[in-house]
Amino acid sequence: MRLTQLPLTTFKEVPADAEIVSHQLMLRAGLIRRLSSGLFTWMPLGLRVLRKVEQIIREEMDRAGALEILMPVVQPAELWKETGRWDIYGDLLLRIRDRHERDYCFAPTAEEVVTEIARRELRSYKQLPVNYYQINTKFRDEIRPRFGVMRAREFVMKDAYSFHLDQASLDGTYERMAEAYTRIFTRLGLRFRKVDAHGGEIGGSKSQEFHVLADSGEDQIAWCEGDSFAANVELAPALPPRLPRPAASATPDRVPTPGVRSIDDVAAFLKIGTRQCLKTLIVEGNEGGLVALCLRGDHELNPLKAERLAGVARPLRMAAPERVLAELGAPVGSLGPVGLTIPLFADHSAGAMADFACGANAPDTHLTGVNWQRDLPEPATHDLRNVEAGDLSPGGGGTLSIARGVEVGHIFQLGDKYSQSMHATVLDQDGKERVMTMGCYGIGVSRIVGAAIEQNHDANGIIWPEPMSPYDVMLIELNPKKSESVTAAALKLYNDLQAAGFEVLLDDRDARPGVKFADADLVGITHRIVVGERGVKDGKAEYRHRPTGAEEQTALEDVVEFLRNRQASAARG
RNA sequence: CGGGGUGUAGCUCAGCUUGGUAGAGCGCUUGCUUCGGGAGCAAGAGGUCGCAGGUUCGAAUCCUGUCACCCCGACCA
C-alpha cells in the first residue's frame, strides 16, 4: 500500500479525551476513530492489526480442534428467559425490539445461543466433545466505557463453548484451551501470565485468566517464581504470619487525636509505622446488623474474602458513616475493636499484632499499646486481606511477586448451569439421557490490540510486536520529487518486496523527511527501510528496527534477503 | 446510577469574571524557497461558540433547561 493512496491522518497533539497511552496512540496513529461513547471505527491500519490478532487466534483454535461458527449478534429474548439471564443480566444487556414488538438483545456473550445449537445438533455421546467458537462483535452496555478499545461497549471477542459428557472430558478440553491460549499470547509476542481466577457472574467452578502485563492494567496478579502459584490478587490466599505474636510489653494508653482520621494520619500523629496501627472497617451484615473487620494498618481489605464470612452481606457493602456514628457512637476515623459489641473478624496478621494502636470508639480518641487477650478478647482470625509483594507463596516455593495486568483471556468450566436450564442433553452408552457439561473460553480480541500498545510503546509511538505489525515493512522514500533515482529505487524495492511476499507500506508522500520518520515511529511498523539520495548513490538502503532502534545499511539489491533473515531470526526468538 | 469536570475551526486550547458581533498554535489548500528527525515566507479555506429557551438594544460571555463527552466509584474480554 502506498501512503498516497491511504489517507492517514496522524496527530502531533494528544487528544484531550484519551487518558491512557494506548488510547492516545491509537487515535494519534489513525488506527481508530471514536463514533460515540465506547464505539469505535477501526481505520485501515488498525483493522489490519485486529485481523492479524484474529488470524493467530483462529489458527490456534483450529489447531486445538475447535470448530469455527458464526452466531447472530441479535438474539431473541426467549432464550435468555430460559436461563433466567434476561432478568439477572441487568443493564449491561442492551435490549432492542423489532417491528412486531418482540424482544431481542444484542449479544454480550453467547452461552444461550450456542447451547440452543448444541441441544439441536448433538444427540449422542459419540459426537462429544465438541468445542464451538466464533470471532464476533459483542455489545455490553458498560456503565462507564473508558480506555478506548480496552473497555469499549462494542468490541470483538473470540468466544468458545465446549460440550462434554463428563468432567474428565471437560478437563481435557479445558487444558487444551489453556495450552492454546498460551500459544496464542506467545505467538502474539506479548508478555503475559496465566493466573487462577474467580468465576464471576458467569458461574461455574474452575477458571483461569490470562493477563498481558502492563503497568496501566486494572488487575493485580500475584505469582511465585519458586513454585507454580499464580492467581489474581482477588483470589490469592494470604498465609497467616509464621512468627507467633510477640508478648505484650506496652502499657495501654488513651490519647486525644483531634482531627486524626486515616491510618496514615494516625501513624504520623503517634510517630509509629502504619503496621503498628490496627484498622477497623465496618461492613453490613446479612441480617441488618453491622460487622467489624480488623486489619493491620498497612494491609488492604479483600472484599471477595470478606463476603465469604458468615454473617457478612453479599456483595460486600461498607456501612454508611452516618449509621456507624449512630450505632457505634464514634465516627469512622476513631473505631477500634476494644469494647465493640458487634461481631468482629480479624485478619490473620491483625490477630498477630501486639502493642498496637487503634481507635477508642470515642470521637477523636485513639488507644495505644493495645494487646489481644490482655485488653480485649482473642479474635477469630481469617484471611481477609489482599496479598502483597514479598508475602509467602501458598505454593511454598518462596515469596510472591505482584504485577499489574490487563485481562485478555478467561477460561471457565461452566458445568451444567446452561445445559441444565436449557435441557441440552445427549444419550449416553446406556441410552440414558444425560445433561451435557460445558466449558467456555473467551479472548478479548480488540482489547489485545490496546493491551499490546500499553505494553510496547515509547515516547515516539507504538512498537508493535512483530506478529501484530500492520505491515511487515515501512518503506520510506526521501524527497521523492527531488530525485528520480530515489523514486525509481523505492518503487523497485516496493515491487520486489511485495513479490517476495512482504506486506509493505510505502511512504511516497511529498512530505519532509522529519514528518515521515515521525509518522513511521508513531505507527510502529517493525521494520523500516529508508531510500534516500545519499544511500542510492552508493546503491544502499538504510534499515532500522523499531523495537531496538538498531540501524544497518544494506545494498539495495539485498534488501529482500536482508529482511528475510531479520524475520527468520525474530521467529527463532 | 452517585460524585466531579468539560463542550469555541479537523486537533490542542485562549476568549467568558467585567455582554459590543470570533482568536492562537498545529493541521488543510495554493505559490515560492526549502528538504536526512514534525521547515520558512506569502496568500487562502474552515466555526449558526453542543442544542433549546430566556434576559438584553445587543449573548460564546448572564439565567434556565437539555444533550454529549471526560474523570472518580460498582462491572468485565
Side-chain angles (χ1 to χ4, degrees):
Chain A
M1 175 61 71
R2 294 157 172 260
L3 265 186
T4 48
Q5 311 287 311
L6 186 156
L8 178 68
T9 308
T10 57
F11 302 132
K12 217 184 296 188
E13 277 165 304
V14 178
D17 54 1
E19 210 206 0
I20 60 169
V21 227
S22 60
H23 189 195
Q24 294 170 352
L25 289 174
M26 288 181 84
L27 289 169
R28 287 185 54 207
L31 304 185
I32 54 168
R33 292 293 178 239
R34 191 184 72 90
L35 178 64
S36 173
S37 177
L39 302 178
F40 295 92
T41 298
W42 288 81
M43 300 301 281
L45 279 184
L47 184 60
R48 288 184 72 93
V49 177
L50 190 68
R51 292 286 184 245
K52 298 215 163 180
V53 176
E54 286 179 8
Q55 191 49 35
I56 287 175
I57 293 172
R58 183 172 282 119
E59 287 169 17
E60 293 302 331
M61 290 302 290
D62 290 347
R63 181 208 295 267
L67 307 169
E68 185 169 12
I69 60 175
L70 189 61
M71 291 179 268
V73 153
V74 173
Q75 307 181 346
E78 288 82 72
L79 279 181
W80 285 74
K81 286 176 179 161
E82 268 192 65
T83 60
R85 288 212 294 178
W86 185 257
D87 298 317
I88 299 168
Y89 217 92
D91 292 336
L92 216 53
L93 192 63
L94 180 65
R95 294 153 213 260
I96 48 186
R97 197 163 269 184
D98 72 5
R99 65 171 74 198
H100 305 297
E101 300 286 300
R102 290 179 40 171
D103 288 321
Y104 292 83
C105 65
F106 205 102
T109 174
E111 282 84 3
E112 280 79 2
V113 173
V114 80
T115 305
E116 155 73 8
I117 292 293
R119 72 180 168 185
R120 287 170 170 273
E121 299 295 316
L122 306 176
R123 288 278 130 80
S124 158
Y125 73 96
K126 293 178 191 163
Q127 295 171 300
L128 301 185
V130 170
N131 189 5
Y132 292 118
Y133 82 97
Q134 65 169 347
I135 297 175
N136 204 358
T137 297
K138 298 287 178 295
F139 191 98
R140 292 184 188 172
D141 199 1
E142 297 280 352
I143 298 169
R144 186 147 89 87
R146 63 184 135 168
F147 303 148
V149 125
M150 302 259 275
R151 180 180 311 225
R153 290 195 296 172
E154 187 173 312
F155 58 100
V156 179
M157 180 163 110
K158 187 285 298 176
D159 45 327
Y161 309 87
S162 65
F163 296 86
H164 312 268
L165 193 65
D166 55 34
Q167 181 65 32
S169 168
L170 171 56
D171 286 341
T173 297
Y174 181 91
E175 277 316 312
R176 277 191 98 175
M177 283 294 103
E179 286 158 21
Y181 277 33
T182 298
R183 288 185 60 93
I184 287 166
F185 296 117
T186 303
R187 277 186 64 187
L188 286 170
L190 298 170
R191 296 186 299 282
F192 70 97
R193 284 221 139 70
K194 178 181 81 169
V195 303
D196 291 339
H198 95 114
E201 293 311 307
I202 298 185
S205 47
K206 189 169 181 181
S207 143
Q208 285 166 308
E209 294 167 345
F210 289 75
H211 288 262
V212 167
L213 300 179
D215 292 338
S216 58
E218 288 193 273
D219 287 293
Q220 284 197 292
I221 57 181
W223 74 91
C224 175
E225 299 292 352
D227 57 44
S228 63
F229 181 81
N232 194 308
V233 161
E234 285 182 333
L235 268 205
L239 301 184
R242 266 184 307 185
L243 298 174
R245 185 165 68 209
S249 60
T251 46
D253 196 9
R254 202 177 166 89
V255 189
T257 51
V260 176
R261 295 247 167 75
S262 68
I263 287 292
D264 286 342
D265 290 347
V266 173
F269 185 87
L270 297 173
K271 298 192 171 54
I272 56 177
T274 51
R275 52 185 304 158
Q276 271 308 112
C277 301
L278 183 92
K279 70 176 159 195
T280 305
L281 305 169
I282 308 298
V283 300
E284 295 186 18
N286 58 7
E287 279 164 9
L290 296 176
V291 176
L293 306 175
C294 290
L295 286 99
R296 213 171 72 188
D298 57 327
H299 285 154
E300 209 173 78
L301 178 70
N302 179 312
L304 239 43
K305 292 176 180 176
E307 70 187 25
R308 282 200 293 261
L309 295 169
V312 170
R314 265 173 122 147
L316 191 76
R317 287 189 304 274
M318 300 302 292
E322 307 79 54
R323 185 172 171 205
V324 171
L325 183 59
E327 294 190 24
L328 303 180
V332 168
S334 303
L335 296 173
V338 181
L340 264 194
T341 51
I342 58 176
L344 182 149
F345 299 96
D347 180 66
H348 293 308
S349 301
M353 291 168 73
D355 300 336
F356 57 83
C358 62
N361 296 324
D364 289 330
T365 315
H366 280 76
L367 303 176
T368 60
V370 180
N371 284 281
W372 301 109
Q373 208 167 35
R374 188 189 70 183
D375 306 320
L376 73 168
E378 193 69 43
T381 67
H382 298 265
D383 177 14
L384 299 181
R385 67 177 178 97
N386 282 337
V387 291
E388 296 179 338
D391 281 350
L392 288 178
S393 166
T399 56
L400 294 177
S401 303
I402 300 224
R404 292 200 157 266
V406 179
E407 185 188 346
V408 289
H410 202 157
I411 58 179
F412 298 91
Q413 294 200 355
L414 284 176
D416 62 2
K417 177 173 169 169
Y418 298 92
S419 44
Q420 182 73 259
S421 57
M422 290 183 64
H423 202 68
T425 61
V426 291
L427 293 184
D428 67 9
Q429 294 92 319
D430 305 323
K432 246 177 51 193
E433 196 174 56
R434 292 258 297 265
V435 172
M436 291 182 280
T437 186
M438 293 173 61
C440 85
Y441 320 93
I443 291 182
V445 181
S446 40
R447 179 180 279 184
I448 285 176
V449 178
I453 296 172
E454 286 298 324
Q455 191 181 75
N456 303 282
H457 66 270
D458 64 14
N460 296 327
I462 300 168
I463 303 174
W464 292 113
E466 189 161 5
M468 296 177 67
S469 185
Y471 287 87
D472 297 321
V473 189
M474 176 90 227
L475 178 60
I476 295 179
E477 58 172 310
L478 291 184
N479 304 317
K481 286 206 166 158
K482 205 168 115 187
S483 160
E484 281 178 20
S485 58
V486 168
T487 306
L491 193 59
K492 178 167 190 314
L493 252 189
Y494 178 59
N495 290 327
D496 290 351
L497 282 167
Q498 290 191 118
F502 288 95
E503 296 170 352
V504 189
L505 184 60
L506 171 62
D507 191 348
D508 55 346
R509 294 175 301 177
D510 179 23
R512 296 170 57 84
V515 172
K516 296 189 175 196
F517 293 145
D519 276 346
D521 283 350
L522 179 60
V523 166
I525 291 168
T526 307
H527 304 289
R528 187 185 83 179
I529 298 282
V530 172
V531 177
E533 205 166 20
R534 267 186 213 167
V536 167
K537 263 198 332 252
D538 309 324
K540 302 271 194 195
E542 294 149 46
Y543 170 81
R544 185 181 168 108
H545 187 231
R546 175 79 246 257
T548 58
E551 300 193 9
E552 258 181 85
Q553 284 222 331
T554 174
L556 278 167
E557 60 269 23
D558 295 340
V559 169
V560 170
E561 192 56 29
F562 177 89
L563 285 173
R564 276 209 181 111
N565 292 336
R566 271 279 171 179
Q567 286 195 324
S569 66
R572 280 196 305 273

